[in-house]
Amino acid sequence: MVSQSLEKLVAALPTTIFFLHLPIIFRVDIAPARLVLHYKSLHYKTHWLEYPDVAPHLKSLSIPPNAEGTPYTIPTIHLPSSKSHPEAENIMDSKAIAIALEKLYPNPPLYLDAPELAKIEELWLQVMKTMRGVFMPQTPRALLNENSKMYFEETRKERFGMPLGDLEKEVGGDKAWEEVKPIVEAIGAVLKEKGGPFVLGETGM
């Protein structure tokens, strides 16, 4: 439940991994962390948060803010204490979560040091920047609950210096799709470097 405190849940289930997530079907910056949990066959429970509740909730857990960008973000994961992990820990950001899970649960491996991963990460950042005028306006329209919709629109208006509708007109539409083509083609080239079907060839992760 969104309204239930994570602290209460942790107290009731002290050995459980909790994954803090928006109650939407899919978001590209959240999906990788969830995929890692499934890839490593880790049992976890999802704790739903609406956008306006993210910062207050994470602050209440005494999580230090991000050094750059948005101070408090999701996904966030709660890792319980264990023999291999003496102190419980709360971690923000999909990549930081993946690194922590790889350290605690090394099998099956993620190959986080593969040079191909760095290439894909850089290209994906370019995709996100190029397509911001497409996916940003569609997020509140198609994905968010009412509790989060207004918050998202107002905070992104502040970030981009214009309403999302204006951002869509300025850098979205056919122009964005044309500009993203060479970036997607570059991702395809990385995928083919080792023959596919995955970036590392026959290795899925």
Side-chain angles (χ1 to χ4, degrees):
M1 293 176 62
V2 174
S3 59
Q4 191 170 4
S5 167
L6 179 62
E7 290 180 306
K8 292 181 179 179
L9 292 172
V10 169
L13 300 166
T15 62
T16 299
I17 295 172
F18 284 95
F19 184 66
L20 283 68
H21 186 3
L22 289 167
I24 61 177
I25 298 172
F26 181 81
R27 211 181 83 175
V28 292
D29 55 339
I30 293 177
R34 189 184 286 278
L35 288 173
V36 170
L37 289 164
H38 285 270
Y39 178 68
K40 290 182 175 292
S41 300
L42 298 174
H43 174 73
Y44 71 96
K45 290 187 177 295
T46 301
H47 182 60
W48 305 110
L49 289 175
E50 294 285 355
Y51 262 116
D53 302 323
V54 172
H57 200 88
L58 299 188
K59 284 181 183 178
S60 74
L61 299 173
S62 300
I63 299 176
N66 291 314
E68 298 179 355
T70 305
Y72 292 96
T73 58
I74 45 178
T76 295
I77 196 169
H78 170 80
L79 296 174
S81 60
S82 65
K83 289 182 179 179
S84 59
H85 188 241
E87 293 188 17
E89 190 176 11
N90 298 306
I91 303 170
M92 294 186 288
D93 183 72
S94 281
K95 187 169 183 178
I97 290 169
I99 292 170
L101 291 175
E102 180 74 347
K103 183 177 179 180
L104 286 171
Y105 310 98
N107 292 306
L110 294 175
Y111 306 102
L112 294 176
D113 57 349
E116 293 83 1
L117 178 61
K119 293 179 184 178
I120 293 295
E121 286 180 336
E122 175 58 32
L123 288 167
W124 185 248
L125 287 175
Q126 294 179 37
V127 169
M128 296 294 284
K129 181 179 179 180
T130 304
M131 296 298 288
R132 66 193 185 282
V134 176
F135 73 84
M136 280 288 179
Q138 288 297 330
T139 296
R141 293 175 191 160
L143 297 176
L144 298 182
N145 295 328
E146 286 301 318
N147 287 348
S148 291
K149 183 177 179 179
M150 185 178 296
Y151 176 90
F152 187 91
E153 290 174 338
E154 288 300 317
T155 54
R156 272 53 183 181
K157 178 181 178 181
E158 182 178 342
R159 178 187 298 181
F160 296 111
M162 66 183 79
L164 290 179
D166 291 349
L167 181 73
E168 185 173 35
K169 293 175 184 176
E170 188 168 310
V171 296
D174 293 341
K175 178 184 177 182
W177 288 106
E178 285 298 320
E179 290 181 355
V180 83
K181 280 182 180 179
I183 307 172
V184 174
E185 289 170 356
I187 292 174
V190 176
L191 183 63
K192 293 176 181 177
E193 284 179 2
K194 293 192 174 180
F198 304 106
V199 170
L200 298 182
E202 293 295 328
T203 302
M205 290 291 283

